[in-house]
Amino acid sequence: MLGALEAFESERLVALEAERAELERKLGEGAASGDRAQFAELGRRLARIGEIIDVAHEARDAQADAEAAQDLLDASDGDDAAEASEMLEVATERAASLDERLKDLLLPQDPNDERDVIVEIQGAEGGEEANIWARDLFEMYRAYVAAQSGWSFELLGSQDSDMGGFTNVTFAVRGPGVWRTLKHEGGPHRVQRVPVTESQGRVHTSSATVSVLPEAEEVDVEIDPNDLIVDTFRSSGPGGQSVNTTDSAVRVTHKPTGVVVSMQDEKSQLQNRAKAMRVLRSRLLQLQQEAHAAEVAAHKRDQVRGGGRSEKIRTYNFKESRVTDHRVGLTIYKLDRVLAGELDEIVDALASAEREQLLAAAVADGGA
């Protein structure tokens, strides 16, 4: 594949600079008109184009420095040659680094890259063991988020199961790069272990599903109040046990799509409704993106499927202390550390595989 800078012809750079000027003009109009959705979208596009232009100029300067250092080396000897050789090495490394960065910037951008995420985990196959496994996954992600600089974790809602697991749990993660990092976590996660519910010591296979949704802003999704059915009911604990004497739990149904969201963790009906609306907006945004951009991967329908054991994206085997991600063929033998939140090795492997796929597609299209 051609170097990114070599493939990034002058005409394209000129066109992007013209687009940047036009976007700056439109941003002014968007701000004046009060169209927040347009303002946000134009702002994201302007930031991306500006970064590409800046890196392209830096890469060209670095390439010119490398060429100048090569000319100086060719004309030098002795101590001067050694100094010129060192200058050439530094300039060449910088040019190569900037070329790789430009290559990444020129790859197709995930429209959700700048978004925060909402994660939903549900027990799937395996009865109560699946619910216990859902809680284990929740604790794994909470530990991972806590270790990331600049990230925050917010529990939105949960439903406890009879033996201390979760039939479902929903939480939000905010911070730089959360979508890029967590989007590949969506799908069925299979566990192989002896459950606490097993009296004979036999290994069982269970699963829980993880859905990773890009969090929507109010300006991203228009919801007609007339399209909503809002029901209130009493919060309940495991086995239907009532834990609240008031009708503070909220169930919101979006009639056009059939999407249903329930929240009951807060004592206030208004707070539960606000959290339910956050999740509803994110689910509707996801449905919109699926309808308009089928190439955007890891959306909930593809992630969850049926939650069956055969559809797993990852297996956690307790007997062998093994974690296997089936999409990239990665197997590591440190299950305890993974469940303690050390996911970097898996996350990096998935990100690298995605980048290679995008690069291969760019090659097929004739270069970045």
Side-chain angles (χ1 to χ4, degrees), residues 6 76 92 103 135 138 161 163 195-196 255 262 306 341-342 351:
E6 185 179 352
S76 303
T92 300
K103 187 184 295 182
R135 179 179 284 274
F138 168 78
S161 67
M163 297 188 66
V196 294
K255 291 185 286 186
S262 298
E342 296 185 20

Side-chain angles (χ1 to χ4, degrees), residues 135-213:
R135 179 179 284 274
D136 291 341
L137 290 174
F138 168 78
E139 296 295 348
M140 177 183 77
Y141 290 122
R142 182 160 65 174
Y144 179 69
V145 170
Q148 308 306 306
S149 176
W151 285 21
S152 65
F153 180 98
E154 179 189 2
L155 177 64
L156 296 179
S158 63
Q159 179 65 52
D160 293 338
S161 67
D162 290 335
M163 297 188 66
F166 283 133
T167 58
N168 59 74
V169 59
T170 304
F171 57 92
V173 182
R174 293 189 177 90
V178 295
W179 172 259
R180 288 194 302 273
T181 304
L182 294 177
K183 64 180 177 180
H184 298 299
E185 293 302 301
H189 292 239
R190 181 176 71 171
V191 62
Q192 296 172 328
R193 65 181 176 187
V194 178
V196 294
T197 56
E198 170 57 52
S199 59
Q200 303 299 319
R202 293 172 296 188
V203 173
H204 286 222
T205 297
S206 306
S207 66
T209 59
V210 177
S211 297
V212 183
L213 309 175

Side-chain angles (χ1 to χ4, degrees), residues 39 49 53 57 62 93 97-98 137 161 163 220 272 280 306 336 342:
F39 186 84
I49 288 178
I53 292 172
H57 283 304
E93 288 180 359
S97 175
L98 286 167
L137 290 174
S161 67
M163 297 188 66
D220 295 323
N272 282 323
L280 176 62
D336 57 337
E342 296 185 20

Side-chain angles (χ1 to χ4, degrees), residues 18-37:
E19 183 180 356
R20 178 167 64 176
E22 179 66 9
L23 284 171
E24 289 172 343
R25 182 188 66 79
K26 288 182 177 180
L27 266 174
E29 294 177 355
S33 66
D35 189 335
R36 292 189 297 164

Side-chain angles (χ1 to χ4, degrees), residues 49 58 86 88 95-96 103 128 131 149 157 170 174 184 195 209 227 235 254 281 286 292 295 310 312 328 346 356:
I49 288 178
E58 288 183 48
E86 183 177 345
L88 176 60
K103 187 184 295 182
E128 188 57 26
N131 296 331
S149 176
T170 304
R174 293 189 177 90
H184 298 299
T209 59
D227 289 337
S235 301
H254 186 247
R281 279 194 296 270
Q286 182 188 53
H292 296 290
E295 74 277 6
S310 63
K312 77 282 183 182
V328 292
I346 299 172
E356 290 303 315

Side-chain angles (χ1 to χ4, degrees), residues 152-355:
S152 65
F153 180 98
E154 179 189 2
L155 177 64
L156 296 179
S158 63
Q159 179 65 52
D160 293 338
S161 67
D162 290 335
M163 297 188 66
F166 283 133
T167 58
N168 59 74
V169 59
T170 304
F171 57 92
V173 182
R174 293 189 177 90
V178 295
W179 172 259
R180 288 194 302 273
T181 304
L182 294 177
K183 64 180 177 180
H184 298 299
E185 293 302 301
H189 292 239
R190 181 176 71 171
V191 62
Q192 296 172 328
R193 65 181 176 187
V194 178
V196 294
T197 56
E198 170 57 52
S199 59
Q200 303 299 319
R202 293 172 296 188
V203 173
H204 286 222
T205 297
S206 306
S207 66
T209 59
V210 177
S211 297
V212 183
L213 309 175
E215 181 162 11
E217 302 291 339
E218 288 190 38
V219 297
D220 295 323
V221 179
E222 292 186 9
I223 300 178
D224 186 342
N226 294 321
D227 289 337
L228 300 178
I229 300 175
V230 181
D231 300 310
T232 59
F233 55 98
R234 289 188 179 181
S235 301
S236 61
Q241 176 185 1
S242 177
V243 296
N244 198 325
T245 57
T246 62
D247 293 340
S248 61
V250 173
R251 181 188 302 110
V252 180
T253 303
H254 186 247
K255 291 185 286 186
T257 61
V259 173
V260 179
V261 180
S262 298
M263 287 291 165
Q264 67 171 29
D265 281 20
E266 301 295 338
K267 294 182 179 179
S268 161
Q269 185 182 117
L270 290 176
Q271 290 176 326
N272 282 323
R273 176 167 178 160
K275 287 186 174 183
M277 290 301 296
R278 283 177 62 186
V279 176
L280 176 62
R281 279 194 296 270
S282 295
R283 289 190 187 174
L284 295 180
L285 174 64
Q286 182 188 53
L287 290 175
Q288 288 179 7
Q289 292 178 341
E290 287 175 341
H292 296 290
E295 74 277 6
V296 177
H299 279 178
K300 185 175 181 180
R301 287 178 179 173
D302 295 326
Q303 293 170 356
V304 174
R305 304 183 186 96
R309 299 182 182 98
S310 63
E311 298 174 322
K312 77 282 183 182
I313 63 166
R314 192 176 299 153
T315 295
Y316 306 74
N317 185 292
F318 274 66
K319 183 178 180 180
E320 301 175 9
S321 189
R322 168 175 57 84
V323 181
T324 298
D325 194 288
H326 303 283
R327 295 163 296 179
V328 292
L330 173 68
T331 296
I332 55 179
Y333 292 90
K334 45 186 177 183
L335 174 62
D336 57 337
R337 291 165 61 183
V338 169
L339 291 179
E342 296 185 20
L343 293 171
D344 286 341
E345 187 173 351
I346 299 172
V347 166
D348 290 346
L350 290 164
S352 178
E354 180 186 41
R355 183 177 185 271

